[in-house]
Amino acid sequence: MTQYLDFEKPLAEIEGKAEELRALARANEEMDIESEAKALDLKAGQLLEGLYKDLTAWRKCQVARHPERPHCKDYIKALFTEFTPLAGDRNFADDLAVMGGLARFNDQPVMVIGHEKGSDTKSRIERNFGMARPEGYRKAIRLMQMADKFNLPVITLVDTPGAYPGKGAEERGQSEAIARSTETCLQIGVPLVSIIIGEGGSGGAVAFASANRVAMLEHSVYSVITPEGCASILWKDAEKMREAAQALRLTATDLAELGVVDHIIAEPKGGAHRDADTAIQAVGETIQQLLNELKPLDGPALIKDRQQKYLDLGSKGLAA
């Protein structure tokens, strides 16, 4: 069953009525309700298009967090072959919130790393809802350094509310691990392409997304803090998350104007969760396009390109 967001309630009612009619027809073959059901389908399609035509920043946050949205594991399974997972930071533990390993992308050897939130209650708890601990970032550092050693492009898939803020994570050096992961992104001499596939939250996302090229799915978000966290700090009221989401300029359109992201990937009508295969295919095409852009650059040129990208941040779009 499709899980509907709160602003999709009118759509849920129409699609529910169409399904009820079809259920009656299945129970009684003499009933002919297909014309009525098709009329409801048409109305639902028009409503869906209207709802997603001009989403507010807060509604985009809701879509980016949709539990049925394709996750890192889904992209790796569909787009990469010969995926060989690599585990552990060689220091403390293996963090299941971060998955990565060697793979082939369109027959090209690559290193792929991403946040995995999990798809059901058990896997979400195991994956800590995509919130990495220090060992997750240290695993990512190890894999990026390995990719640099063997001259393999790095592809990162970002989908996290942020780094895990627990006591144990802080004791094991969470901020240092994030800083070193960000530093490693900037130092490796191989192409680094990052895709924001859902939530890009805080330093936990920046540690994977300090890339030569950053792309975002149309309804994903990328921000220094969640809208709820921002509202709690600024207004002492988490219910002001709608105002916070608007002020944070966290949508793909806003971030493209600011020069933070380089490419926006269009999603199927109704979001990636309604047609995962199409969304995944679009991401694959974008990864290939961005890798082709970086192919002519050698190691020093890639490092310079990446560093210049971040030195230039803040030079455009701020007057809007």
Side-chain angles (χ1 to χ4, degrees):
M1 285 182 63
T2 302
Q3 294 189 40
Y4 293 92
L5 301 169
D6 57 8
F7 67 88
E8 295 178 316
K9 286 179 181 176
L11 179 66
E13 291 176 7
I14 295 171
E15 291 187 339
K17 287 176 183 176
E19 182 53 38
E20 285 176 16
L21 286 175
R22 291 193 169 98
L24 287 172
R26 288 193 293 270
N28 187 350
E29 295 180 1
E30 295 179 1
M31 292 183 67
D32 182 14
I33 51 78
E34 195 54 35
S35 59
E36 291 88 342
K38 284 184 177 178
L40 287 171
D41 288 341
L42 178 62
K43 186 176 180 182
Q46 292 170 341
L47 179 57
L48 181 66
E49 189 169 348
L51 286 172
Y52 278 80
K53 189 175 182 180
D54 190 22
L55 290 175
T56 64
W58 172 244
R59 287 183 175 180
K60 291 216 174 203
C61 288
Q62 293 177 285
V63 177
R65 296 168 176 173
H66 198 289
E68 294 174 1
R69 197 172 175 84
H71 295 141
C72 177
K73 187 167 61 175
D74 302 312
Y75 286 96
I76 290 176
K77 183 178 179 181
L79 297 177
F80 299 86
T81 56
E82 299 181 32
F83 175 64
T84 305
L86 299 173
D89 65 347
R90 300 295 185 269
N91 184 36
F92 182 76
D94 182 34
D95 187 352
L96 296 181
V98 175
M99 62 184 300
L102 298 164
R104 287 184 179 273
F105 176 73
N106 292 340
D107 208 34
Q108 177 184 9
V110 298
M111 184 71 76
V112 57
I113 307 167
H115 300 96
E116 174 56 42
K117 285 184 170 180
S119 54
D120 54 29
T121 302
K122 182 181 178 182
S123 62
R124 285 172 191 146
I125 292 170
E126 286 177 345
R127 303 279 185 177
N128 202 32
F129 300 88
M131 295 185 290
R133 297 176 171 89
E135 45 274 21
Y137 296 105
R138 291 179 180 131
K139 173 164 68 173
I141 292 167
R142 184 171 73 84
L143 299 190
M144 285 190 278
Q145 289 174 341
M146 182 186 296
D148 191 28
K149 180 178 180 179
F150 293 105
N151 198 31
L152 302 175
V154 177
I155 298 163
T156 63
L157 303 170
V158 177
D159 187 16
T160 179
Y164 183 62
K167 181 175 180 284
E170 297 296 343
E171 288 173 344
R172 296 193 299 279
Q174 182 74 288
S175 57
E176 182 267 351
I178 291 171
R180 288 198 180 277
S181 182
T182 306
E183 180 184 42
T184 304
C185 285
L186 295 170
Q187 289 179 342
I188 57 175
V190 294
L192 175 53
V193 169
S194 183
I195 312 292
I196 315 294
I197 59 174
E199 287 185 276
S202 191
V206 173
F208 281 23
S210 298
N212 292 96
R213 298 290 182 271
V214 181
M216 284 181 72
L217 278 165
E218 180 184 1
H219 301 316
S220 58
V221 294
Y222 188 22
S223 173
V224 69
I225 192 172
T226 63
E228 297 93 329
C230 177
S232 296
I233 292 169
L234 293 184
W235 294 289
K236 311 298 181 188
D237 182 3
E239 290 302 311
K240 287 190 175 287
M241 67 274 191
R242 293 168 184 80
E243 294 90 333
Q246 193 65 40
L248 284 167
R249 299 186 70 175
L250 43 65
T251 68
T253 305
D254 287 333
L255 294 167
E257 290 176 0
L258 292 168
V260 176
V261 302
D262 307 290
H263 188 87
I264 299 174
I265 306 169
E267 294 191 27
K269 184 171 73 173
H273 57 280
R274 283 186 168 259
D275 188 352
D277 291 341
T278 300
I280 291 170
Q281 181 182 352
V283 168
E285 291 170 358
T286 299
I287 292 172
Q288 187 61 67
Q289 175 189 330
L290 298 178
L291 286 175
N292 290 342
E293 288 180 16
L294 299 170
K295 200 170 186 178
L297 304 180
D298 62 10
L302 285 164
I303 294 170
K304 185 177 180 181
D305 170 87
R306 201 178 301 131
Q307 290 176 345
Q308 194 60 48
K309 172 182 172 64
Y310 293 96
L311 288 172
D312 289 343
L313 287 183
S315 63
K316 65 177 182 178
L318 291 176

